[in-house]
Amino acid sequence: MKRKHSTPIFPVRTILIISTIYLSQNGKSHFYDKPIAESFEEAPLHVMVFTYLGYGLGTLFGYLRDFLRSWGIEKCNAAIEREEQKDFVPLYQNFENFYTRNLYIRIRDNWNRPICSAPGSRFDVMERVSDDYNWTFRFTGRIIKDVINMGSYNFLGLAASYDESMRTVKDVLEEYGLGVASTRHEMGTLDKHEELENLVAKFLNVEAAMVFGMGFATNSMNIPALVGKGCLILSDELNHASLVLGARLSGATIRIFKHNNMQSLEKLLRDAVIYGQPRVRRAWKKILILVEGIYSMEGSIVHLPQIVALKKKYKAYLYIDEAHSIGSVGPTGRGVVEFFGLDPRDVDVLMGTFTKSFGAAGGYIAGRKELVDYLRVHSHSAVYATSMSPPVAEQIIRSMKLIMGLDGTTEGLQRVRQLAKNTRYFRQRLNEMGFIIYGNEESPVIPLLLYMPAKVAAFARHLLNRKIGVVVVGFPATPLAEARARFCISAAHTREMLDTVLENLDEMGDLLQLKYSRHRKSARPELYDETSFELDD
């Protein structure tokens, strides 16, 4: 029997931060006030006990199976060192792959599922089965048609099958071809690239922008061009791997602050200014704060007004990755800067990708003209990487003009509003059902906590049987005991689709006993004590 709730259940913890920030914008001073509502609920004690118990039993049986494999009793399908290399330094570390070999492999069928259609609101999945407990797969030849897509980052529904609105992309393909076969520094700068860069700058209301062919490389290859030895990077603990890699490649000193915790960030900033570099005590050459707009595993939105206040107070630089937020939040889809009503000039480096809201590929860096001109010369991605494909650039131009209304319609604005409407509806319904979900109430990335590894596998498998495609995530992408499903809402989702998904989730919640919500406050992340930050003029 289904469990019904007579009254809506709202997020169990609402962080309400009223920020009074003195800003100077277009020569006029004003105060900013914006509440931030986020939910991070703590799981009941028995859920955490059974989760750790499950991992413990899995570990014990893993060691037992490794023992059986070492004696040849059980066949070992994992990678092993060749006998003739036994005296070499091992390339394969056995213990480091323990988790993959003994736990992940058992539920591996829930990842890397091949699709054979455009990743729209519905897609087609190629059915596959395993005859050796997920070590290998074979295709059956059957196609699972019209699966509701709840996992792709297709926020505005612009990643779709060809229609007449994409005619300009087809024309560019016929005129320019697919590849550029050169870097931006050589023969790889096309008029389409310059048109796109001017449009991105106009869209973001900044002086200049530069585009790159790969979103991941936009972070990992440009951060080392901005900071180096003698510089300090302050990075949010939940930053994306591309930001982490870029920070490590830069050679700068890296310090981590707790997720969206302004007290933690300010302490690091204060210590950096007071004490300077270790041992020599010289002042840092630069202090760069790295954050994301929307955090893709938590569904939380950066507390940008407070971070802007701190970076101005301590004379630091701010680098924000808007991969998930550009196009998906803000009244007109211009990201978290617009979401909070701030001046784009308050952010020193605006980064984003075209892989989510724009249905394309690549990324951009935007800001002051001096910054962009510097990166044109020093960016590893500009110097060594092949330029963006012309049809991809045209797809971005087409999508951005749609969002900006430059196509002569209001379709782009309607998509942005529909996304926000779908997001609020889906989050509210999940809360009413009693699920624990994380993140900001305006974030289209919605994590639903599953906790136990066995339930992760059962959840994804059962939903695929019901023609619903979801992404499930576990360790090491999340903390060990916080495995989850991650829903990505799209403007292309109809109310009927969302209701179908919600109805099935309600049944799955009862079947797998996933409705853990007890309306208790969480200790992670920490509550914030600050009420205001004031900036000097």
Side-chain angles (χ1 to χ4, degrees):
M1 184 175 179
K2 296 181 184 178
R3 181 175 63 182
K4 300 294 183 182
H5 298 280
S6 58
T7 57
I9 300 174
F10 295 99
V12 293
R13 179 172 69 107
T14 299
I15 304 173
L16 186 62
I17 305 175
I18 302 300
S19 310
T20 306
I21 302 179
Y22 180 78
L23 300 171
S24 179
Q25 201 169 7
N26 300 324
K28 298 181 180 180
S29 302
H30 67 277
F31 288 90
Y32 167 80
D33 294 287
K34 180 75 177 184
I36 300 175
E38 292 182 342
S39 174
F40 294 94
E41 185 180 352
E42 183 182 59
L45 178 61
H46 75 277
V47 174
M48 300 308 295
V49 169
F50 282 116
T51 299
Y52 282 111
L53 182 61
Y55 278 107
L57 290 173
T59 301
L60 289 175
F61 277 98
Y63 280 116
L64 174 61
R65 298 189 70 177
D66 278 354
F67 174 78
L68 297 176
R69 291 174 188 136
S70 66
W71 284 91
I73 300 173
E74 179 179 326
K75 182 181 177 182
C76 181
N77 293 308
I80 57 175
E81 295 289 344
R82 292 182 296 172
E83 184 63 26
E84 57 267 30
Q85 290 182 313
K86 63 180 181 180
D87 295 326
F88 285 51
V89 176
L91 295 175
Y92 175 82
Q93 296 293 334
N94 192 55
F95 181 76
E96 291 177 3
N97 292 275
F98 179 88
Y99 178 87
T100 302
R101 186 172 60 252
N102 292 298
L103 184 57
Y104 166 73
I105 204 70
R106 299 174 66 86
I107 56 177
R108 183 177 166 222
D109 56 296
N110 297 292
W111 289 275
N112 308 314
R113 287 172 174 159
I115 69 171
C116 53
S117 67
S121 58
R122 294 180 183 268
F123 56 23
D124 300 335
V125 180
M126 299 174 67
E127 186 182 63
R128 60 181 184 174
V129 295
S130 176
D131 301 316
D132 54 5
Y133 303 101
N134 289 342
W135 286 101
T136 61
F137 294 97
R138 61 178 176 84
F139 293 108
T140 65
R142 175 174 172 257
I143 304 299
I144 306 174
K145 293 281 190 179
D146 296 326
V147 177
I148 299 177
N149 182 3
M150 297 301 297
S152 297
Y153 296 124
N154 188 19
F155 293 130
L156 297 182
L158 295 175
S161 301
Y162 179 81
D163 58 37
E164 195 57 31
S165 68
M166 301 179 188
R167 184 55 184 256
T168 58
V169 179
K170 182 179 179 181
D171 293 341
V172 167
L173 174 61
E174 293 175 349
E175 181 179 354
Y176 291 84
L178 276 172
V180 180
S182 185
T183 68
R184 294 294 298 270
H185 273 208
E186 296 167 344
M187 304 292 290
T189 296
L190 305 179
D191 56 346
K192 281 295 170 185
H193 296 143
E194 294 184 348
E195 178 185 355
L196 174 57
E197 289 173 347
N198 292 333
L199 187 63
V200 170
K202 181 178 179 181
F203 180 65
L204 298 174
N205 194 25
V206 294
E207 295 177 6
M210 184 176 181
V211 298
F212 305 89
M214 181 182 179
F216 191 97
T218 304
N219 277 331
S220 60
M221 295 291 100
N222 283 299
I223 292 175
L226 297 173
V227 290
K229 188 176 181 181
C231 299
L232 175 64
I233 291 176
L234 302 180
S235 179
D236 189 290
E237 66 177 343
L238 297 183
N239 274 342
H240 189 262
S242 60
L243 290 169
V244 174
L245 178 60
R248 289 174 177 173
L249 291 175
S250 71
T253 301
I254 305 170
R255 291 176 184 163
I256 309 300
F257 64 91
K258 294 177 182 178
H259 176 54
N260 261 345
N261 191 314
M262 298 305 107
Q263 292 174 315
S264 176
L265 175 59
E266 183 166 22
K267 182 179 186 302
L268 292 176
L269 283 167
R270 186 188 304 114
D271 290 347
V273 171
I274 294 173
Y275 300 112
Q277 300 181 45
R279 293 187 298 275
V280 296
R281 299 304 181 192
R282 295 193 186 99
W284 295 100
K285 294 178 181 178
K286 298 175 189 174
I287 299 176
L288 180 66
I289 303 170
L290 293 183
V291 294
E292 293 186 52
I294 291 178
Y295 291 85
S296 61
M297 288 298 166
E298 306 297 314
S300 53
I301 294 179
V302 64
H303 296 180
L304 189 59
Q306 291 78 17
I307 292 179
V308 167
L310 288 176
K311 83 105 180 178
K312 288 185 175 182
K313 179 178 179 180
Y314 291 97
K315 314 301 180 188
Y317 294 97
L318 177 58
Y319 183 116
I320 182 168
D321 176 352
E322 291 222 62
H324 295 85
S325 54
I326 193 68
S328 65
V329 295
T332 62
R334 285 169 167 81
V336 292
V337 176
E338 183 189 47
F339 178 78
F340 287 107
L342 300 179
D343 189 337
R345 292 173 296 182
D346 291 330
V347 180
D348 301 286
V349 185
L350 286 162
M351 178 271 173
T353 66
F354 303 119
T355 53
K356 280 84 176 176
S357 296
F358 301 93
Y364 66 82
I365 294 284
R368 295 176 60 86
K369 187 176 184 301
E370 294 86 349
L371 165 72
V372 175
D373 289 344
Y374 175 83
L375 288 176
R376 291 191 193 280
V377 177
H378 295 90
S379 168
H380 294 81
S381 191
V383 176
Y384 301 110
T386 301
S387 302
M388 179 184 288
S389 173
V392 172
E394 179 60 29
Q395 163 65 9
I396 302 166
I397 292 171
R398 183 188 76 87
S399 301
M400 195 166 288
K401 285 183 176 179
L402 180 75
I403 297 170
M404 297 171 71
L406 298 180
D407 64 336
T409 72
T410 61
E411 181 184 347
L413 183 59
Q414 290 172 5
R415 286 176 181 260
V416 172
R417 291 174 176 172
Q418 186 63 46
L419 174 62
K421 184 178 179 180
N422 286 351
T423 296
R424 288 191 290 268
Y425 175 73
F426 199 77
R427 279 185 171 273
Q428 180 182 350
R429 288 290 307 278
L430 289 178
N431 277 315
E432 291 172 0
M433 291 176 187
F435 292 105
I436 294 179
I437 61 173
Y438 276 0
N440 191 288
E441 62 184 15
E442 301 291 335
S443 169
V445 178
I446 305 177
L448 186 153
L449 276 293
L450 304 174
Y451 299 105
M452 303 177 196
K455 293 188 178 183
V456 171
F459 185 83
R461 290 168 183 162
H462 279 292
L463 285 179
L464 183 60
N465 290 337
R466 299 170 183 230
K467 289 194 173 184
I468 298 172
V470 299
V471 171
V472 288
V473 191
F475 179 82
T478 68
L480 184 67
E482 291 188 15
R484 64 199 66 178
R486 184 184 61 188
F487 298 99
C488 291
I489 306 302
S490 172
H493 287 140
T494 64
R495 179 61 62 89
E496 181 183 3
M497 290 180 191
L498 295 179
D499 285 339
T500 298
V501 173
L502 288 164
E503 180 181 348
N504 281 278
L505 288 177
D506 194 19
E507 294 177 7
M508 290 298 301
D510 293 329
L511 176 66
L512 300 178
Q513 298 183 1
L514 298 173
K515 297 177 179 180
Y516 302 124
S517 181
R518 294 172 60 185
H519 323 302
R520 295 169 58 189
K521 295 182 179 180
S522 172
R524 198 189 73 85
E526 288 76 2
L527 293 174
Y528 312 105
D529 294 331
E530 67 271 23
T531 56
S532 68
F533 293 93
E534 295 188 5
L535 298 177
D536 296 329
D537 189 10

